[in-house]
Amino acid sequence: MKLKLILTIAFAGLFLGANAQQVKFTEYDLDNGLHVILHQDKTAPVVVVSVMYHVGSKDEETERTGFAHFFEHLLFEGSPNMKRGEFMKLVSSNGGQNNANTSQDRTFYYETFPSNQLELGLWLESERMLHPKIDEAGVKTQNEVVKEEKRLRVDNAPYGKFAENIFQHLFTEHPYRWQPIGAMEHLDAAKLPEFLAFFKKYYAPNNAVLTIAGDIDVDKTKGLVKKYFDEVPKGTPVIKRDFNLKPITKEIIDTAYDANIQIPAIFAAYRVPGMKSRDNKILGMISTLLSGGGSSRLSTKMVDEKKTALQVAAFNYTLEDYGAYITLALPNNNTPLNDLLKDIDTEVARLKADLISESEYTKLQNQFENGFISANSKMLGVAENLASGYTFQNKNTNDINEELSTVKSITREEIREVARKYLNKDQRVVLYYLPKK
């Protein structure tokens, strides 16, 4: 079920940092503004080459949504130095893997190679940044690819539009109100000069982080980075918009219908602070307490004891400017949706009234520490987490090593106060997500 995948991704994003082995790195800037992070780990002959561009769907215009995600695809079209469609063939034929993903806040490209193919990975990413092939043929091809992806992952996927329905209420005055996949009519209407302008504005080296992690020689890698990226011209600085949204002061109730489901669901979502906030980290702890595993409060009560829910969850959908704290439940034995919401609200109210126990607090600490080991067990995870720290934590790449100490400094009293501050009925959206006949 897609909901389980969404929750897995959401929880994985929470588990950063630990007092396990520190992640060592070297970082510096090229003259064109490209920030470079190098992490040496010789435990396996593998290297990851990645580039994180600080551009996502929130940087799009209202009538041109979907551009950032579209470029996730378009920038695999090749360059003057490779034929169309050759990018991925070069990766696979040299023993590598590659992919990309786009969020509301950033786009992340990467290749994983045997370490003797480091130079190939750097060349590929420099070609993407320096002179990608952006033409009518590529735009037409990728337009059809994106449409098929939208049909598969959103339009025809069970519960595929829950975030779309929630975010349009939580973020009425913010670009988070639309999803990264965007609107197909906007992509259909866009002209080639608009795509070229979007690339020139956002895919410049001074709006990107190049992270290389794995079996590398640091000095040699610096030379290769200079060789392939020094010639990329610096772009005009990107000025991010500031948003100061008015608080939600009245419960918003909505209903959505989905022809792809047979079991209804109920969601309750709250607008919360973005990823730089300490409160955001506390909300991550609260979501783990409520639904992080089979012995969590909501699962124990609603799935095991009362048997009213097939699935219940709470997760913190963390973004740069704001976040969405979402609870949800799928009924068992035709339990009314309002009964499920009442049970979730009861557990939230208990969080507000009483301090969590010492044993629960210790369990939370252990869960976050184990999460760090999982999140950084592969070079790809290390590369992305290093880049994210620099991009989203005030250029603090070392956030990867500081997160757990921050989490361990959070008190039980803070957990109670944050629940009281944000998880209130007059500050939320309630969505009844029903089968469409």
Side-chain angles (χ1 to χ4, degrees), residues 337-367:
L337 295 181
N338 284 334
D339 289 357
L340 299 177
L341 182 61
K342 183 178 179 181
D343 280 344
I344 294 173
D345 286 344
T346 298
E347 289 305 312
V348 172
R350 186 155 74 97
L351 269 177
K352 295 178 182 181
D354 305 317
L355 293 177
I356 66 172
S357 68
E358 287 285 0
S359 62
E360 285 179 309
Y361 184 70
T362 300
K363 179 184 174 183
L364 279 177
Q365 304 289 352
N366 292 336
Q367 286 176 300

PDB file of all heavy atoms in Angstrom, residues 337-367:
ATOM      1  N   LEU A 337     -15.317   6.512  11.030  1.00  0.00           N
ATOM      2  CA  LEU A 337     -14.118   7.330  10.969  1.00  0.00           C
ATOM      3  C   LEU A 337     -14.025   8.288  12.148  1.00  0.00           C
ATOM      4  O   LEU A 337     -12.936   8.564  12.660  1.00  0.00           O
ATOM      5  CB  LEU A 337     -14.073   8.103   9.648  1.00  0.00           C
ATOM      6  CG  LEU A 337     -13.947   7.257   8.371  1.00  0.00           C
ATOM      7  CD1 LEU A 337     -13.888   8.171   7.143  1.00  0.00           C
ATOM      8  CD2 LEU A 337     -12.730   6.354   8.418  1.00  0.00           C
ATOM      9  N   ASN A 338     -15.152   8.811  12.578  1.00  0.00           N
ATOM     10  CA  ASN A 338     -15.129   9.743  13.708  1.00  0.00           C
ATOM     11  C   ASN A 338     -14.670   9.066  14.999  1.00  0.00           C
ATOM     12  O   ASN A 338     -14.056   9.707  15.864  1.00  0.00           O
ATOM     13  CB  ASN A 338     -16.512  10.368  13.913  1.00  0.00           C
ATOM     14  CG  ASN A 338     -16.802  11.448  12.882  1.00  0.00           C
ATOM     15  OD1 ASN A 338     -15.884  12.059  12.344  1.00  0.00           O
ATOM     16  ND2 ASN A 338     -18.072  11.671  12.598  1.00  0.00           N
ATOM     17  N   ASP A 339     -14.947   7.768  15.131  1.00  0.00           N
ATOM     18  CA  ASP A 339     -14.469   7.041  16.303  1.00  0.00           C
ATOM     19  C   ASP A 339     -12.948   6.921  16.272  1.00  0.00           C
ATOM     20  O   ASP A 339     -12.282   7.016  17.312  1.00  0.00           O
ATOM     21  CB  ASP A 339     -15.100   5.647  16.360  1.00  0.00           C
ATOM     22  CG  ASP A 339     -16.580   5.696  16.720  1.00  0.00           C
ATOM     23  OD1 ASP A 339     -17.094   6.808  16.983  1.00  0.00           O
ATOM     24  OD2 ASP A 339     -17.222   4.623  16.725  1.00  0.00           O
ATOM     25  N   LEU A 340     -12.402   6.705  15.080  1.00  0.00           N
ATOM     26  CA  LEU A 340     -10.948   6.637  14.943  1.00  0.00           C
ATOM     27  C   LEU A 340     -10.304   7.971  15.295  1.00  0.00           C
ATOM     28  O   LEU A 340      -9.300   8.028  16.014  1.00  0.00           O
ATOM     29  CB  LEU A 340     -10.564   6.239  13.516  1.00  0.00           C
ATOM     30  CG  LEU A 340     -11.045   4.873  13.023  1.00  0.00           C
ATOM     31  CD1 LEU A 340     -10.626   4.674  11.568  1.00  0.00           C
ATOM     32  CD2 LEU A 340     -10.487   3.758  13.891  1.00  0.00           C
ATOM     33  N   LEU A 341     -10.896   9.051  14.799  1.00  0.00           N
ATOM     34  CA  LEU A 341     -10.365  10.377  15.087  1.00  0.00           C
ATOM     35  C   LEU A 341     -10.435  10.671  16.582  1.00  0.00           C
ATOM     36  O   LEU A 341      -9.505  11.249  17.165  1.00  0.00           O
ATOM     37  CB  LEU A 341     -11.134  11.436  14.301  1.00  0.00           C
ATOM     38  CG  LEU A 341     -10.659  12.879  14.472  1.00  0.00           C
ATOM     39  CD1 LEU A 341      -9.217  13.038  14.015  1.00  0.00           C
ATOM     40  CD2 LEU A 341     -11.577  13.842  13.704  1.00  0.00           C
ATOM     41  N   LYS A 342     -11.510  10.241  17.214  1.00  0.00           N
ATOM     42  CA  LYS A 342     -11.656  10.454  18.648  1.00  0.00           C
ATOM     43  C   LYS A 342     -10.561   9.726  19.424  1.00  0.00           C
ATOM     44  O   LYS A 342      -9.998  10.270  20.384  1.00  0.00           O
ATOM     45  CB  LYS A 342     -13.030   9.972  19.104  1.00  0.00           C
ATOM     46  CG  LYS A 342     -13.312  10.213  20.584  1.00  0.00           C
ATOM     47  CD  LYS A 342     -14.719   9.745  20.957  1.00  0.00           C
ATOM     48  CE  LYS A 342     -14.982   9.965  22.443  1.00  0.00           C
ATOM     49  NZ  LYS A 342     -16.351   9.491  22.820  1.00  0.00           N
ATOM     50  N   ASP A 343     -10.242   8.492  19.017  1.00  0.00           N
ATOM     51  CA  ASP A 343      -9.186   7.740  19.705  1.00  0.00           C
ATOM     52  C   ASP A 343      -7.825   8.409  19.526  1.00  0.00           C
ATOM     53  O   ASP A 343      -7.013   8.459  20.468  1.00  0.00           O
ATOM     54  CB  ASP A 343      -9.134   6.306  19.177  1.00  0.00           C
ATOM     55  CG  ASP A 343     -10.211   5.422  19.804  1.00  0.00           C
ATOM     56  OD1 ASP A 343     -10.777   5.830  20.835  1.00  0.00           O
ATOM     57  OD2 ASP A 343     -10.478   4.332  19.267  1.00  0.00           O
ATOM     58  N   ILE A 344      -7.544   8.903  18.313  1.00  0.00           N
ATOM     59  CA  ILE A 344      -6.278   9.608  18.089  1.00  0.00           C
ATOM     60  C   ILE A 344      -6.223  10.865  18.948  1.00  0.00           C
ATOM     61  O   ILE A 344      -5.210  11.161  19.595  1.00  0.00           O
ATOM     62  CB  ILE A 344      -6.112   9.957  16.595  1.00  0.00           C
ATOM     63  CG1 ILE A 344      -5.956   8.680  15.766  1.00  0.00           C
ATOM     64  CG2 ILE A 344      -4.899  10.864  16.388  1.00  0.00           C
ATOM     65  CD1 ILE A 344      -5.946   8.909  14.272  1.00  0.00           C
ATOM     66  N   ASP A 345      -7.318  11.610  18.961  1.00  0.00           N
ATOM     67  CA  ASP A 345      -7.373  12.839  19.762  1.00  0.00           C
ATOM     68  C   ASP A 345      -7.179  12.552  21.248  1.00  0.00           C
ATOM     69  O   ASP A 345      -6.588  13.365  21.978  1.00  0.00           O
ATOM     70  CB  ASP A 345      -8.706  13.553  19.534  1.00  0.00           C
ATOM     71  CG  ASP A 345      -8.786  14.240  18.175  1.00  0.00           C
ATOM     72  OD1 ASP A 345      -7.721  14.429  17.550  1.00  0.00           O
ATOM     73  OD2 ASP A 345      -9.905  14.592  17.758  1.00  0.00           O
ATOM     74  N   THR A 346      -7.670  11.424  21.699  1.00  0.00           N
ATOM     75  CA  THR A 346      -7.502  11.064  23.108  1.00  0.00           C
ATOM     76  C   THR A 346      -6.030  10.877  23.449  1.00  0.00           C
ATOM     77  O   THR A 346      -5.554  11.329  24.502  1.00  0.00           O
ATOM     78  CB  THR A 346      -8.286   9.783  23.427  1.00  0.00           C
ATOM     79  OG1 THR A 346      -9.685  10.012  23.205  1.00  0.00           O
ATOM     80  CG2 THR A 346      -8.069   9.351  24.870  1.00  0.00           C
ATOM     81  N   GLU A 347      -5.288  10.233  22.547  1.00  0.00           N
ATOM     82  CA  GLU A 347      -3.857  10.042  22.788  1.00  0.00           C
ATOM     83  C   GLU A 347      -3.089  11.350  22.702  1.00  0.00           C
ATOM     84  O   GLU A 347      -2.135  11.572  23.451  1.00  0.00           O
ATOM     85  CB  GLU A 347      -3.287   9.018  21.802  1.00  0.00           C
ATOM     86  CG  GLU A 347      -3.731   7.591  22.063  1.00  0.00           C
ATOM     87  CD  GLU A 347      -3.428   7.163  23.489  1.00  0.00           C
ATOM     88  OE1 GLU A 347      -2.291   7.374  23.955  1.00  0.00           O
ATOM     89  OE2 GLU A 347      -4.334   6.619  24.147  1.00  0.00           O
ATOM     90  N   VAL A 348      -3.497  12.229  21.806  1.00  0.00           N
ATOM     91  CA  VAL A 348      -2.865  13.551  21.728  1.00  0.00           C
ATOM     92  C   VAL A 348      -3.144  14.337  23.007  1.00  0.00           C
ATOM     93  O   VAL A 348      -2.259  15.004  23.557  1.00  0.00           O
ATOM     94  CB  VAL A 348      -3.355  14.320  20.490  1.00  0.00           C
ATOM     95  CG1 VAL A 348      -2.861  15.765  20.510  1.00  0.00           C
ATOM     96  CG2 VAL A 348      -2.885  13.627  19.216  1.00  0.00           C
ATOM     97  N   ALA A 349      -4.380  14.255  23.484  1.00  0.00           N
ATOM     98  CA  ALA A 349      -4.737  14.947  24.724  1.00  0.00           C
ATOM     99  C   ALA A 349      -3.929  14.413  25.903  1.00  0.00           C
ATOM    100  O   ALA A 349      -3.528  15.167  26.804  1.00  0.00           O
ATOM    101  CB  ALA A 349      -6.233  14.790  24.992  1.00  0.00           C
ATOM    102  N   ARG A 350      -3.648  13.115  25.911  1.00  0.00           N
ATOM    103  CA  ARG A 350      -2.833  12.532  26.986  1.00  0.00           C
ATOM    104  C   ARG A 350      -1.406  13.073  26.942  1.00  0.00           C
ATOM    105  O   ARG A 350      -0.794  13.320  27.990  1.00  0.00           O
ATOM    106  CB  ARG A 350      -2.855  11.005  26.872  1.00  0.00           C
ATOM    107  CG  ARG A 350      -2.157  10.292  28.010  1.00  0.00           C
ATOM    108  CD  ARG A 350      -2.700   8.868  28.192  1.00  0.00           C
ATOM    109  NE  ARG A 350      -2.263   7.964  27.165  1.00  0.00           N
ATOM    110  CZ  ARG A 350      -1.232   7.126  27.281  1.00  0.00           C
ATOM    111  NH1 ARG A 350      -0.526   7.115  28.413  1.00  0.00           N
ATOM    112  NH2 ARG A 350      -0.913   6.305  26.317  1.00  0.00           N
ATOM    113  N   LEU A 351      -0.900  13.286  25.733  1.00  0.00           N
ATOM    114  CA  LEU A 351       0.424  13.882  25.595  1.00  0.00           C
ATOM    115  C   LEU A 351       0.465  15.294  26.180  1.00  0.00           C
ATOM    116  O   LEU A 351       1.453  15.700  26.780  1.00  0.00           O
ATOM    117  CB  LEU A 351       0.803  13.966  24.109  1.00  0.00           C
ATOM    118  CG  LEU A 351       1.559  12.806  23.480  1.00  0.00           C
ATOM    119  CD1 LEU A 351       1.760  13.082  22.003  1.00  0.00           C
ATOM    120  CD2 LEU A 351       2.898  12.607  24.166  1.00  0.00           C
ATOM    121  N   LYS A 352      -0.622  16.031  25.979  1.00  0.00           N
ATOM    122  CA  LYS A 352      -0.684  17.408  26.475  1.00  0.00           C
ATOM    123  C   LYS A 352      -0.825  17.463  27.988  1.00  0.00           C
ATOM    124  O   LYS A 352      -0.360  18.419  28.632  1.00  0.00           O
ATOM    125  CB  LYS A 352      -1.872  18.135  25.830  1.00  0.00           C
ATOM    126  CG  LYS A 352      -1.778  18.321  24.338  1.00  0.00           C
ATOM    127  CD  LYS A 352      -3.055  19.010  23.852  1.00  0.00           C
ATOM    128  CE  LYS A 352      -3.068  19.196  22.356  1.00  0.00           C
ATOM    129  NZ  LYS A 352      -4.297  19.883  21.898  1.00  0.00           N
ATOM    130  N   ALA A 353      -1.466  16.463  28.546  1.00  0.00           N
ATOM    131  CA  ALA A 353      -1.773  16.496  29.983  1.00  0.00           C
ATOM    132  C   ALA A 353      -0.640  15.956  30.844  1.00  0.00           C
ATOM    133  O   ALA A 353      -0.362  16.491  31.923  1.00  0.00           O
ATOM    134  CB  ALA A 353      -3.058  15.712  30.247  1.00  0.00           C
ATOM    135  N   ASP A 354       0.024  14.886  30.374  1.00  0.00           N
ATOM    136  CA  ASP A 354       0.972  14.175  31.225  1.00  0.00           C
ATOM    137  C   ASP A 354       2.339  14.080  30.558  1.00  0.00           C
ATOM    138  O   ASP A 354       2.442  13.966  29.332  1.00  0.00           O
ATOM    139  CB  ASP A 354       0.470  12.749  31.516  1.00  0.00           C
ATOM    140  CG  ASP A 354      -0.929  12.754  32.119  1.00  0.00           C
ATOM    141  OD1 ASP A 354      -1.177  13.601  32.996  1.00  0.00           O
ATOM    142  OD2 ASP A 354      -1.752  11.921  31.696  1.00  0.00           O
ATOM    143  N   LEU A 355       3.370  14.087  31.376  1.00  0.00           N
ATOM    144  CA  LEU A 355       4.706  13.818  30.868  1.00  0.00           C
ATOM    145  C   LEU A 355       4.809  12.358  30.439  1.00  0.00           C
ATOM    146  O   LEU A 355       4.219  11.470  31.078  1.00  0.00           O
ATOM    147  CB  LEU A 355       5.751  14.093  31.946  1.00  0.00           C
ATOM    148  CG  LEU A 355       5.939  15.545  32.393  1.00  0.00           C
ATOM    149  CD1 LEU A 355       6.957  15.609  33.518  1.00  0.00           C
ATOM    150  CD2 LEU A 355       6.368  16.424  31.223  1.00  0.00           C
ATOM    151  N   ILE A 356       5.524  12.087  29.355  1.00  0.00           N
ATOM    152  CA  ILE A 356       5.746  10.699  28.975  1.00  0.00           C
ATOM    153  C   ILE A 356       6.624  10.044  30.037  1.00  0.00           C
ATOM    154  O   ILE A 356       7.354  10.710  30.770  1.00  0.00           O
ATOM    155  CB  ILE A 356       6.387  10.579  27.584  1.00  0.00           C
ATOM    156  CG1 ILE A 356       7.808  11.146  27.573  1.00  0.00           C
ATOM    157  CG2 ILE A 356       5.532  11.288  26.546  1.00  0.00           C
ATOM    158  CD1 ILE A 356       8.560  10.875  26.274  1.00  0.00           C
ATOM    159  N   SER A 357       6.541   8.731  30.127  1.00  0.00           N
ATOM    160  CA  SER A 357       7.292   8.021  31.165  1.00  0.00           C
ATOM    161  C   SER A 357       8.785   8.021  30.835  1.00  0.00           C
ATOM    162  O   SER A 357       9.193   8.225  29.689  1.00  0.00           O
ATOM    163  CB  SER A 357       6.790   6.584  31.284  1.00  0.00           C
ATOM    164  OG  SER A 357       7.120   5.854  30.108  1.00  0.00           O
ATOM    165  N   GLU A 358       9.575   7.754  31.845  1.00  0.00           N
ATOM    166  CA  GLU A 358      11.023   7.663  31.652  1.00  0.00           C
ATOM    167  C   GLU A 358      11.371   6.530  30.694  1.00  0.00           C
ATOM    168  O   GLU A 358      12.291   6.646  29.886  1.00  0.00           O
ATOM    169  CB  GLU A 358      11.717   7.454  32.996  1.00  0.00           C
ATOM    170  CG  GLU A 358      11.743   8.681  33.892  1.00  0.00           C
ATOM    171  CD  GLU A 358      12.751   9.718  33.426  1.00  0.00           C
ATOM    172  OE1 GLU A 358      13.438   9.482  32.409  1.00  0.00           O
ATOM    173  OE2 GLU A 358      12.863  10.765  34.085  1.00  0.00           O
ATOM    174  N   SER A 359      10.651   5.431  30.783  1.00  0.00           N
ATOM    175  CA  SER A 359      10.937   4.299  29.899  1.00  0.00           C
ATOM    176  C   SER A 359      10.611   4.636  28.445  1.00  0.00           C
ATOM    177  O   SER A 359      11.358   4.252  27.531  1.00  0.00           O
ATOM    178  CB  SER A 359      10.152   3.063  30.352  1.00  0.00           C
ATOM    179  OG  SER A 359       8.750   3.303  30.276  1.00  0.00           O
ATOM    180  N   GLU A 360       9.510   5.349  28.218  1.00  0.00           N
ATOM    181  CA  GLU A 360       9.179   5.773  26.855  1.00  0.00           C
ATOM    182  C   GLU A 360      10.231   6.744  26.323  1.00  0.00           C
ATOM    183  O   GLU A 360      10.617   6.693  25.152  1.00  0.00           O
ATOM    184  CB  GLU A 360       7.804   6.441  26.826  1.00  0.00           C
ATOM    185  CG  GLU A 360       6.636   5.490  26.925  1.00  0.00           C
ATOM    186  CD  GLU A 360       5.308   6.230  26.904  1.00  0.00           C
ATOM    187  OE1 GLU A 360       5.144   7.178  27.700  1.00  0.00           O
ATOM    188  OE2 GLU A 360       4.443   5.873  26.086  1.00  0.00           O
ATOM    189  N   TYR A 361      10.690   7.622  27.195  1.00  0.00           N
ATOM    190  CA  TYR A 361      11.708   8.599  26.798  1.00  0.00           C
ATOM    191  C   TYR A 361      13.012   7.896  26.399  1.00  0.00           C
ATOM    192  O   TYR A 361      13.614   8.221  25.366  1.00  0.00           O
ATOM    193  CB  TYR A 361      11.945   9.562  27.959  1.00  0.00           C
ATOM    194  CG  TYR A 361      12.910  10.679  27.669  1.00  0.00           C
ATOM    195  CD1 TYR A 361      12.568  11.707  26.796  1.00  0.00           C
ATOM    196  CD2 TYR A 361      14.168  10.703  28.275  1.00  0.00           C
ATOM    197  CE1 TYR A 361      13.460  12.736  26.533  1.00  0.00           C
ATOM    198  CE2 TYR A 361      15.061  11.727  28.016  1.00  0.00           C
ATOM    199  CZ  TYR A 361      14.698  12.740  27.143  1.00  0.00           C
ATOM    200  OH  TYR A 361      15.590  13.752  26.880  1.00  0.00           O
ATOM    201  N   THR A 362      13.420   6.913  27.166  1.00  0.00           N
ATOM    202  CA  THR A 362      14.628   6.155  26.840  1.00  0.00           C
ATOM    203  C   THR A 362      14.450   5.394  25.529  1.00  0.00           C
ATOM    204  O   THR A 362      15.361   5.320  24.699  1.00  0.00           O
ATOM    205  CB  THR A 362      14.955   5.166  27.969  1.00  0.00           C
ATOM    206  OG1 THR A 362      15.158   5.890  29.185  1.00  0.00           O
ATOM    207  CG2 THR A 362      16.198   4.351  27.647  1.00  0.00           C
ATOM    208  N   LYS A 363      13.277   4.843  25.333  1.00  0.00           N
ATOM    209  CA  LYS A 363      12.993   4.118  24.091  1.00  0.00           C
ATOM    210  C   LYS A 363      13.100   5.050  22.885  1.00  0.00           C
ATOM    211  O   LYS A 363      13.649   4.675  21.836  1.00  0.00           O
ATOM    212  CB  LYS A 363      11.593   3.499  24.169  1.00  0.00           C
ATOM    213  CG  LYS A 363      11.174   2.746  22.912  1.00  0.00           C
ATOM    214  CD  LYS A 363       9.745   2.243  23.045  1.00  0.00           C
ATOM    215  CE  LYS A 363       9.267   1.615  21.750  1.00  0.00           C
ATOM    216  NZ  LYS A 363       7.851   1.175  21.832  1.00  0.00           N
ATOM    217  N   LEU A 364      12.589   6.261  23.016  1.00  0.00           N
ATOM    218  CA  LEU A 364      12.690   7.235  21.932  1.00  0.00           C
ATOM    219  C   LEU A 364      14.139   7.510  21.568  1.00  0.00           C
ATOM    220  O   LEU A 364      14.508   7.559  20.387  1.00  0.00           O
ATOM    221  CB  LEU A 364      12.001   8.544  22.332  1.00  0.00           C
ATOM    222  CG  LEU A 364      10.491   8.641  22.191  1.00  0.00           C
ATOM    223  CD1 LEU A 364      10.003   9.983  22.715  1.00  0.00           C
ATOM    224  CD2 LEU A 364      10.071   8.474  20.738  1.00  0.00           C
ATOM    225  N   GLN A 365      14.962   7.715  22.579  1.00  0.00           N
ATOM    226  CA  GLN A 365      16.374   7.987  22.330  1.00  0.00           C
ATOM    227  C   GLN A 365      17.015   6.829  21.563  1.00  0.00           C
ATOM    228  O   GLN A 365      17.786   7.039  20.609  1.00  0.00           O
ATOM    229  CB  GLN A 365      17.108   8.204  23.661  1.00  0.00           C
ATOM    230  CG  GLN A 365      16.543   9.304  24.541  1.00  0.00           C
ATOM    231  CD  GLN A 365      16.809  10.693  23.970  1.00  0.00           C
ATOM    232  OE1 GLN A 365      17.539  10.849  23.006  1.00  0.00           O
ATOM    233  NE2 GLN A 365      16.214  11.702  24.572  1.00  0.00           N
ATOM    234  N   ASN A 366      16.702   5.623  21.956  1.00  0.00           N
ATOM    235  CA  ASN A 366      17.276   4.457  21.287  1.00  0.00           C
ATOM    236  C   ASN A 366      16.801   4.341  19.847  1.00  0.00           C
ATOM    237  O   ASN A 366      17.569   3.967  18.952  1.00  0.00           O
ATOM    238  CB  ASN A 366      16.927   3.183  22.060  1.00  0.00           C
ATOM    239  CG  ASN A 366      17.612   3.110  23.413  1.00  0.00           C
ATOM    240  OD1 ASN A 366      18.649   3.733  23.621  1.00  0.00           O
ATOM    241  ND2 ASN A 366      17.029   2.361  24.335  1.00  0.00           N
ATOM    242  N   GLN A 367      15.536   4.660  19.619  1.00  0.00           N
ATOM    243  CA  GLN A 367      15.000   4.584  18.261  1.00  0.00           C
ATOM    244  C   GLN A 367      15.697   5.575  17.336  1.00  0.00           C
ATOM    245  O   GLN A 367      16.033   5.248  16.191  1.00  0.00           O
ATOM    246  CB  GLN A 367      13.491   4.838  18.271  1.00  0.00           C
ATOM    247  CG  GLN A 367      12.680   3.668  18.808  1.00  0.00           C
ATOM    248  CD  GLN A 367      11.199   3.983  18.884  1.00  0.00           C
ATOM    249  OE1 GLN A 367      10.775   4.912  19.573  1.00  0.00           O
ATOM    250  NE2 GLN A 367      10.389   3.223  18.181  1.00  0.00           N
TER     251      GLN A 367
END
